[in-house]
Amino acid sequence: MGGTVHVIDHPLVEHKLTLMRQKETSTNDFRRLLDEISTLMAYDVLADIPTHEIKVETPMEVTTGRVIDGKKLVFASILRAGTSIADGMLSVVPGARIGHIGLYRDPKTHIAVEYYFKMPKELAERDVVIVDPLLATGHSAVAAVDRLKEYQPRSIRFVCLLTCPEGLAALHDAHPDVPVYTAAVDRELNDDGYILPGLGDAGDRIFGTQ
């Protein structure tokens, strides 16, 4: 398996992820923790995004500093659960653009089926961060990267809370150039395509559905 995997194991991230795994964690607390952990993960995920120098005037004198161009950054949310990660990251990069990729997993084949795709214009000039809470079978991630590469963005990276060896292998077999940022690499998938030990169905826990 090729490809780069960044495990964000900061103590605050580990703490919040542990609370999210607990089955008794309420929908409200799960959402809050996801928002918080997404904001924390953004610092590592965006550590190498381009910056440029500008002139600024402090209360004391004129100097220079470096800033990012948030408008060149796109959070591409895999619907429906990815929107919550995008929201958390927007709290630190409010100028970022948002794209949406609608995919659902066929319950029999586990293959991703696209039903919606909407991205900002001029992706060739932008860095894209695909966000989805879980990288499980990898089918949705591969489908999302396949579609985005049609528009030749400046860079693509994939962000998830949890993944597993099977999901990483699937994504990096298809797209070894796409780095993955995650809070944990769990043990395995079960026969139904869920991560073990995992945290259950992220979408159901975010939205309070079954």
Side-chain angles (χ1 to χ4, degrees):
M1 180 182 68
T4 303
V5 181
H6 302 272
V7 178
I8 302 172
D9 56 359
H10 188 283
L12 287 174
V13 171
E14 292 183 326
H15 171 80
K16 294 178 187 300
L17 178 58
T18 297
L19 297 179
M20 293 179 73
R21 288 185 188 272
Q22 296 175 324
K23 65 180 182 180
E24 65 267 22
T25 297
S26 69
T27 298
N28 183 54
D29 286 341
F30 192 90
R31 289 179 190 150
R32 175 182 55 79
L33 289 162
L34 180 56
D35 184 78
E36 293 171 354
I37 202 171
S38 301
T39 301
L40 292 169
M41 291 178 69
Y43 287 91
D44 276 291
V45 173
L46 305 177
D48 61 350
I49 62 170
T51 62
H52 62 274
E53 193 172 85
I54 64 169
K55 183 182 291 184
V56 295
E57 185 173 353
T58 79
M60 307 304 294
E61 62 182 39
V62 175
T63 186
T64 59
R66 303 200 66 83
V67 296
I68 66 169
D69 187 351
K71 295 179 181 179
K72 296 295 185 183
L73 182 66
V74 177
F75 293 127
S77 169
I78 296 180
L79 299 174
R80 58 184 169 151
T83 54
S84 296
I85 295 181
D87 287 345
M89 292 191 169
L90 277 173
S91 65
V92 289
V93 196
R97 300 302 191 241
I98 298 290
H100 295 97
I101 306 171
L103 298 167
Y104 70 89
R105 185 174 66 171
D106 185 284
K108 293 183 179 179
T109 66
H110 298 165
I111 298 299
V113 180
E114 180 182 312
Y115 64 89
Y116 186 79
F117 186 87
K118 185 73 172 179
M119 289 292 147
K121 296 179 180 179
E122 301 172 345
L123 277 186
E125 301 176 5
R126 304 180 191 274
D127 297 296
V128 177
V129 179
I130 303 173
V131 293
D132 196 14
L134 305 178
L135 173 56
T137 64
H139 296 317
S140 294
V142 170
V145 177
D146 284 343
R147 285 288 274 131
L148 282 163
K149 281 190 172 180
E150 295 176 13
Y151 298 85
Q152 299 181 326
R154 190 163 60 183
S155 71
I156 299 175
R157 60 197 74 189
F158 190 93
V159 178
C160 56
L161 286 183
L162 290 180
T163 186
C164 58
E166 296 92 333
L168 289 171
L171 177 56
H172 281 152
D173 283 349
H175 300 288
D177 57 318
V178 175
V180 173
Y181 294 78
T182 185
V185 180
D186 277 11
R187 186 179 70 249
E188 62 185 352
L189 289 181
N190 67 10
D191 292 340
D192 294 320
Y194 285 94
I195 295 173
L196 300 176
L199 49 70
D201 186 296
D204 285 343
R205 298 197 67 185
I206 292 165
F207 299 107
T209 54
Q210 295 296 329

